[in-house]
Amino acid sequence: SADETGAFFADVLVRSCAGLVERFDAAGLDGWRTEGEWQAARGEVTGSGALLSHDRYTDFDLETTLLAATGEAGVVFDARPDGGDHAAALLVPAPARIEVREVRGGKAAAIASAALPANDAHRPHRLRVSQRQGRLSVEVDGSPVLATFRPDAQGGPVGLTALEPAQ
């Protein structure tokens, strides 16, 4: 379940030419770069900040089950080594929506958004984000919710992100 400091994620699957399946069965987060506070136990990972793969992915499918606490949480991709520039598909609780953002030069810009039913952000969701040659699509609970084109998609580490709840 979600805690007050971040989000809960279960089972992460990243598909590309070489697949990565992370069940978070081990107590550690070997194979992941952590930024923030993250813990893995019993097949789940909880926390806030960013949890990034060491490998780079340009074209990928990333699936996870996520339950956000009170803040935004989702999938981060095309992350740059300096930790600044990236893109993310986020579950935003108020108003309930999925939003794709790009962060470049420290400035975030929403590039696509799709509404979810009211109060729908406060339950677990199966989130799938796919990118092929800059074409990005997002599914929630098996249903396509948005698609957009990112002409500047360059690839990079992928992973999870959760923002701390606003006080």
Side-chain angles (χ1 to χ4, degrees):
S1 63
D3 64 22
E4 294 178 0
T5 61
F8 148 85
F9 297 85
D11 293 345
V12 175
L13 170 64
V14 180
R15 284 189 210 112
S16 68
C17 291
L20 165 68
V21 177
E22 177 62 74
R23 301 267 184 227
F24 296 113
D25 292 329
L29 292 168
D30 295 338
W32 294 91
R33 186 176 83 221
T34 60
E35 297 172 4
E37 300 292 325
W38 292 92
Q39 295 179 340
R42 300 178 318 277
E44 303 170 356
V45 64
T46 58
S48 61
L51 183 64
L52 298 168
S53 65
H54 289 290
D55 294 331
R56 293 177 46 86
Y57 298 90
T58 301
D59 294 341
F60 64 87
D61 295 315
L62 195 153
E63 293 181 51
T64 188
T65 299
L66 103 92
L67 174 62
T70 57
E72 300 171 354
V75 171
V76 64
F77 48 97
D78 288 358
R80 301 298 181 268
D82 62 9
D85 292 355
H86 64 277
L90 300 168
L91 177 65
V92 180
R97 66 189 185 279
I98 291 291
E99 188 169 280
V100 175
R101 292 183 193 148
E102 288 185 340
V103 177
R104 300 290 180 248
K107 297 184 187 216
I111 61 169
S113 177
L116 294 175
N119 296 321
D120 211 33
H122 302 292
R123 67 175 185 82
H125 288 284
R126 188 77 184 156
L127 183 62
R128 179 179 182 177
V129 179
S130 300
Q131 181 171 273
R132 298 280 182 280
Q133 297 179 338
R135 289 172 181 80
L136 185 77
S137 62
V138 179
E139 294 178 9
V140 177
D141 301 324
S143 297
V145 293
L146 68 82
T148 190
F149 181 63
R150 299 181 55 243
D152 298 327
Q154 298 177 3
V158 299
L160 311 175
T161 184
L163 305 179
E164 290 187 299
Q167 295 294 321

